[in-house]
Amino acid sequence: MTNAQANNHQENSIQKELNFSDKVLEKIASQTANSIDGVLSLNGGAISNLTDRFIDNPTKGVDVDNDDDKLSFELKAILEYGKPAPQIFDRIVNSISRSVKEMTGKEVDKITLNVDDLMTNAEWKKQQSNNNKTNDSKESE
């Protein structure tokens, strides 16, 4: 056996396993969905919203079920009023599926989107401004 054959044999005998935490998968889905036109925000439930006042949560509004390499995502979102929700949802599904596949090699089996609210851009900006003022006053106390 030559050195090249020995090295090739050694590389082929290495067991490989690449795993991703749920948080990593949720982060990929969150950042991908937030980049879609018409998605104003992904938002979690009451506990998530309370926690987010103290820490920046890049996976807010996304839950993943990683069962036997079948990935299922559930997202909670605020969409932009006046934009077509079914088209936004299709873009979310296609983008998340592609991003997850490219970054992890895993296939997405299911994506569920729960629309919690529809807001105009003006309403959204006003709400964000009010939230920032509330957080700033709490931090200064």
Side-chain angles (χ1 to χ4, degrees), residues 75-128:
L75 294 84
K76 295 178 185 153
I78 298 173
L79 301 183
E80 188 173 345
Y81 181 85
K83 298 216 174 169
Q87 290 176 13
I88 294 168
F89 180 55
D90 286 342
R91 287 194 297 267
I92 289 170
V93 169
N94 293 334
S95 296
I96 289 175
S97 297
R98 184 174 45 254
S99 293
V100 168
K101 178 69 174 173
E102 288 173 359
M103 290 186 227
T104 69
K106 294 180 177 281
E107 297 285 341
V108 175
D109 188 52
K110 179 181 178 183
I111 296 177
T112 302
L113 176 65
N114 299 304
V115 179
D116 284 350
D117 202 352
L118 295 173
M119 293 182 158
T120 65
N121 248 330
E123 289 173 320
W124 174 246
K125 288 176 183 173
K126 183 178 179 182
Q127 183 185 53
Q128 292 308 297

Side-chain angles (χ1 to χ4, degrees), residues 46-57 60 131 134-136 138-139:
I47 292 174
S48 176
N49 289 338
L50 181 62
T51 305
D52 292 339
R53 290 184 180 182
F54 304 105
I55 59 169
D56 185 29
N57 183 359
K60 178 178 161 183
N131 286 347
T134 301
N135 288 342
D136 289 346
K138 287 183 180 180
E139 289 173 2

Side-chain angles (χ1 to χ4, degrees), residues 60-79:
K60 178 178 161 183
V62 180
D63 290 312
V64 66
D65 184 14
N66 187 357
D67 188 30
D68 297 328
D69 281 339
K70 289 186 177 181
L71 298 178
S72 297
F73 290 92
E74 184 170 353
L75 294 84
K76 295 178 185 153
I78 298 173
L79 301 183

Side-chain angles (χ1 to χ4, degrees), residues 2-13:
T2 67
N3 271 350
Q5 289 174 326
N7 286 340
N8 193 23
H9 177 70
Q10 185 179 10
E11 286 178 20
N12 289 338
S13 65

